[in-house]
Amino acid sequence: METAKTEKAVTSINQAFASRFAKSMFLSVIGLAVLSFIGTRMFTHVDLNLYGYMVGTIIFLGGFFYRFIAWGERPPTKIIIKKGIKLLFRKSTPKTSVEQLATYRFIWNRGIYRWTQHIMMGWGVILSCLVTFPLVFGWMYFTMDENGMYNIILMGIQILTVPADGLIANFSYNALNISATMVIIGVCMALYRRLKNMQARAEQKFLYDFLPLYMLLFISITGLALTFSNVFLHGFGHPVMSLIHQWSVIITLIYLPFGKLAHIPFRPLSVFARNYREHYMEAAPKQCKVCGNEFVSVEQSNDVIDVLQTNHIQFQTEDGHHLAELCLPCRRKYRMAQFSGFPTHEVKVKEANQNAKG
């Protein structure tokens, strides 16, 4: 009875909205408003100078939900999300989360240069978000006492009081400068690699690959310019540079869900994919129908076949196997066999990179 009542309540809530997108946006805006109401002590500490960033963030959320819902409706994505949620409480999830979202160990296999580049850009952006969004919505703000003590208030609660000229206070003042410097280093490394690496030069496009890097670079440089104006120029040019920086952030936020930078908010789902692969591979590995090597799990192979059938796509071989039941080397050989007329997929020869990692 309770389950039926819960399902009925969920159905009633869903029927109150025109679409899943409308429901997601409504709940998100309401949630932000409630958190801001609490954090600003009933809107008594609102910084109107940050109003533009707030509007940009809300538009970003709209674009994100639109992109996520459209992506999540695809049959393969539904499988990953549904099974990923079930596997979220695996013992290995904390370790996987750290490797995928914090240390970027999966990039380490591609080389220390690319790893350093991603660490600088990734953590630079994360640090800036951890500082900017709480300030924008009033979840965090700072006050100064007459005795020179610096107060850090979080969600309306004074969590820390430190000397205004101390280490913690200076870190608070310069957190965005540190994050901007990290992003600049990471972006410059990425640009250098894209201009020098022949493979990257052949594959990249200006609007998709270069423009996001230039936007991050512009945001970081104009942000540092604000500090330079205050410290060394006594505020000269600050109002104009403040507007330039604010508009660069707003435009980037609006663009973010629709370009290459969208992988930043989507990145946590990599934990779902990793758990999916590891769990089902441990439970029942799949052997290639030709060479007998284990290459995926039985579950993943069956899911691929089901998804292809859902889309009315058939990849049945003349031997009665589905291509999803063949490992990548044998699959390539099979495709070659269709053109050459010679059964190359049956030749027991290991490819040079068959077991390559990274």
Side-chain angles (χ1 to χ4, degrees):
M1 286 291 291
E2 292 182 1
T3 304
K5 288 181 180 179
T6 303
E7 291 179 353
K8 187 176 180 180
V10 171
T11 303
S12 299
I13 292 173
N14 290 335
Q15 289 175 346
F17 298 94
S19 64
R20 291 177 61 188
F21 171 76
K23 181 178 75 172
S24 300
M25 276 304 299
F26 176 79
L27 294 177
S28 298
V29 172
I30 291 296
L32 290 173
V34 170
L35 289 174
S36 296
F37 180 80
I38 297 170
T40 58
R41 295 181 178 179
M42 296 183 290
F43 301 118
T44 56
H45 289 275
V46 178
D47 189 348
L48 293 179
N49 291 321
L50 302 177
Y51 177 73
Y53 297 105
M54 184 183 297
V55 173
T57 303
I58 292 173
I59 296 175
F60 156 74
L61 285 174
F64 170 75
F65 283 123
Y66 173 81
R67 179 84 185 271
F68 182 82
I69 291 171
W71 177 73
E73 286 297 318
R74 299 175 181 177
T77 313
K78 282 185 177 179
I79 292 174
I80 288 292
I81 294 176
K82 183 178 179 180
K83 295 187 177 179
I85 292 173
K86 290 181 179 179
L87 301 173
L88 192 58
F89 297 102
R90 290 188 77 214
K91 291 182 179 179
S92 62
T93 296
K95 179 183 176 183
T96 301
S97 301
V98 170
E99 290 179 351
Q100 295 289 316
L101 308 178
T103 62
Y104 302 157
R105 187 174 177 181
F106 65 99
I107 298 177
W108 178 267
N109 294 329
R110 303 178 191 175
I112 190 171
Y113 184 92
R114 296 185 69 175
W115 178 81
T116 305
Q117 163 196 318
H118 280 82
I119 282 288
M120 286 295 174
M121 277 198 295
W123 275 105
V125 171
I126 291 171
L127 178 60
S128 65
C129 291
L130 290 176
V131 174
T132 303
F133 289 145
L135 290 175
V136 166
F137 291 101
W139 306 336
M140 180 174 67
Y141 58 90
F142 311 95
T143 60
M144 182 79 76
D145 294 337
E146 293 182 359
N147 60 359
M149 298 302 286
Y150 188 65
N151 302 309
I152 301 176
I153 290 99
L154 180 66
M155 298 306 293
I157 302 171
Q158 185 173 319
I159 61 170
L160 200 61
T161 299
V162 296
D165 57 352
L167 182 64
I168 296 177
N170 272 285
F171 178 79
S172 300
Y173 308 147
N174 293 292
L176 289 176
N177 293 328
I178 294 170
S179 66
T181 303
M182 292 174 66
V183 171
I184 289 172
I185 293 171
V187 168
C188 289
M189 292 178 70
L191 288 173
Y192 178 81
R193 177 184 167 272
R194 291 190 177 281
L195 291 171
K196 292 294 183 179
N197 186 281
M198 296 303 294
Q199 181 178 351
R201 287 177 62 181
E203 296 174 349
Q204 64 200 356
K205 297 178 181 178
F206 175 80
L207 290 177
Y208 187 74
D209 296 292
F210 278 103
L211 183 60
L213 295 176
Y214 290 141
M215 295 173 81
L216 290 177
L217 190 62
F218 189 73
I219 289 173
S220 302
I221 291 174
T222 54
L224 290 177
L226 287 173
T227 301
F228 183 84
S229 171
N230 284 330
V231 175
F232 298 103
L233 303 179
H234 307 290
F236 175 76
H238 186 275
V240 174
M241 186 55 65
S242 178
L243 282 175
I244 293 173
H245 177 70
Q246 185 170 152
W247 275 104
S248 67
V249 173
I250 293 170
I251 291 171
T252 302
L253 282 172
I254 295 172
Y255 161 80
L256 196 150
F258 305 102
K260 192 169 186 177
L261 294 177
H263 75 275
I264 297 174
F266 279 78
R267 186 65 206 165
L269 291 176
S270 64
V271 178
F272 285 13
R274 181 75 176 269
N275 281 349
Y276 171 84
R277 289 196 303 269
E278 290 182 350
H279 175 79
Y280 291 112
M281 191 67 178
E282 292 169 3
K286 177 77 173 180
Q287 291 185 337
C288 174
K289 291 291 186 179
V290 175
C291 66
N293 290 333
E294 296 177 353
F295 65 107
V296 293
S297 64
V298 173
E299 188 80 10
Q300 183 174 345
S301 179
N302 292 339
D303 285 341
V304 170
I305 294 171
D306 291 342
V307 166
L308 291 173
Q309 288 177 347
T310 300
N311 293 315
H312 307 291
I313 300 174
Q314 298 294 333
F315 283 111
Q316 208 75 20
T317 69
E318 294 177 358
D319 300 326
H321 308 314
H322 196 282
L323 278 181
E325 298 178 299
L326 273 60
C327 65
L328 284 175
C330 290
R331 210 176 300 167
R332 284 193 289 267
K333 293 173 185 176
Y334 180 81
R335 286 200 295 266
M336 289 168 58
Q338 304 312 301
F339 293 100
S340 65
F342 180 78
T344 51
H345 60 295
E346 296 178 1
V347 178
K348 306 294 183 180
V349 177
K350 184 187 242 185
E351 293 189 0
N353 64 341
Q354 182 165 324
N355 297 317
K357 296 180 179 179

